[in-house]
Amino acid sequence: MAAHIDVTSTPAAAPEPELRTAAGLLARLGQGNITSSAYDTAQLARLRTPHPHRGLHFPETVDWLLAHQHPDGSWGGTIAIPHDRAVCTLAATVALAEADRDQLLAPGSGAVPVARGVAYLARHSAQLRGDPHETVAFEMIFPTLLDQAQSLRLALPYADYAWIHDLKQRKLALFPTGSRHLASTLAHSLESLDDRLSPEELTGLAGTSGSIGCSPSSTAYAHTVRPTRDGLRFLQRTLRETPDGGAPTISPYEVFDRIWVLDNLRRGGLPTAFLRPHIEPLRAIWRDDGIGMAADGIPTDCDDTAVAIKLLRSIGHSVPLEVLRPFESPRGYRTYHFERHPSVSANIHVLNVLTTAPDTHRRQITSILAYLADSRTDSAYWYDKWHASAYYASCRALEVLSEVAPELGRATLEWLLDTRHSDGGWSAFEPFGTCEETAYAVSALIAAAPRYQLSLTTEITQAIAFLRTHQDEPLPELWLGKALYTPQLVVRSAILAALTRHHTSLTTTKGPGA
């Protein structure tokens, strides 16, 4: 929904330049692009046109792969995170090896990239065990790719990866026999099942967009089993909409895009009247079991649902907290059913909602707090399954915990202050700050400072100067899907929220709430 907003007449504490930027973000809700993924681009590169020609269905994807191999022979995000680099490199290597075998590449253009990809995987096989940043469905996808690489006789250290095959079998055991594909997160990674699916089993899985599981790679695989016009159109449209010709790792994701942008701006202090026209559409897509990252084609989850509840309540709509009950577990809340590990950030978002009714949800609140206390690293910070940087979950946790459980958040605040870089920013991976991670830190410090009775003016002022200097620079991929990605509007809104939150904090005696 792209309603016109006259920012000059909008009553708000935020300055006019930030309001205009916010209006620009809101006008693009549901249209924001995410960065291309080598993994998904490789899966589309494996599609062939029908007989008798059997050519590349999307030759531009092969060109993309050849142009985006890193100097060390790998494919993947800007920051070298082992799980991302491994799955992207293996997928790209298999795709190019198949195309080379089928004589679909220019003579001599495939052998060297394939050899460099194989060499990278052989050198880095040991890194996966110690990497806390597991990409989505890695335990499902990677073993299938290994089997395909072996059939291509690629010289990989297969024995080094045997433990991942074990993880796949444990994951498959979580799904009910006979209905494991339907209305489950497994639809997001159908390609991991390889030859286990029949055309009949794919019936009814696609959403209205033509996508299966909000995944270009899953949809591409489904097209090899049961070709459909809608699926092919979805893939064609997806490639057209990415700025560099690659395929994103998630699509569609219009609900996630809307919810997270709006929540960032709400917490940044933008007025309800300014946001209301963009929150209202959530009512139309709300379901009895909550909300998911897209209108259809993927199950609902407690993360999107919890944030949507907060948004809808902010404009006066009563949404029952009981919708979250099916996601309860003995240890906090599951984001999705059948998942192996819970999400820290999802539990924080649920906690933030449940604390609005503490008398009726004391048991659930206690359960989440116990989970958060037990899942900390070094008793101070958290890793999350949806984001590679510890600053994402930890800063969000500090915002909430400083209000509801300040003793639990105190060590996080100390860790945050201790890990600031000399340039005034924060980053878990770089010797200098990134705007995304710094924005999370700024919002957390502004929220926490009054609650811990601290003066953090110097730290916050320097971080704001960092953001204003670097906010227009490219954003590294830090979000964890099947591969690393950046949801551009979501991250830009987090940066903008930090700036507006700072401005608002200067005009009030108490920092804005979470």
Side-chain angles (χ1 to χ4, degrees), residues 395-415:
C395 292
R396 190 70 186 101
L398 179 57
E399 288 188 56
V400 177
L401 294 176
S402 62
E403 181 174 0
V404 304
E407 286 308 309
L408 185 55
R410 189 175 299 277
T412 306
L413 175 59
E414 294 172 358
W415 166 79

Side-chain angles (χ1 to χ4, degrees), residues 79 389 391 419 421 425-434 437-438 478:
I79 296 171
S389 173
Y391 291 108
T419 56
H421 291 318
W426 280 264
S427 176
F429 305 101
E430 303 286 6
F432 44 83
T434 71
E437 293 165 284
T438 301
L478 292 172

Side-chain angles (χ1 to χ4, degrees), residues 4-25:
H4 173 72
I5 300 174
D6 181 4
V7 298
T8 61
S9 62
T10 302
E16 186 174 314
E18 276 75 12
L19 284 173
R20 293 194 182 280
T21 301
L25 291 176

Side-chain angles (χ1 to χ4, degrees), residues 35-40 42 64 68 70 72-93 120-121 124 127-129 131-139 141-142 145 164 247-249 387-388 429 476-486:
T35 48
S36 295
S37 150
Y39 171 76
D40 292 84
W64 191 97
H68 285 81
H70 293 296
D72 64 0
S74 69
W75 282 266
T78 304
I79 296 171
I81 292 176
H83 276 84
D84 173 68
R85 288 291 178 94
V87 73
C88 288
T89 302
L90 185 54
T93 300
Y120 174 88
L121 291 164
H124 293 84
Q127 289 187 341
L128 291 175
R129 284 187 180 271
D131 177 29
H133 311 297
E134 184 177 332
T135 49
V136 171
F138 183 89
E139 78 279 23
I141 294 165
F142 201 74
L145 287 170
I164 307 176
T249 197
H387 202 283
F429 305 101
E477 306 93 336
L478 292 172
W479 291 67
L480 291 166
K482 293 185 193 176
L484 288 173
Y485 71 101
T486 302

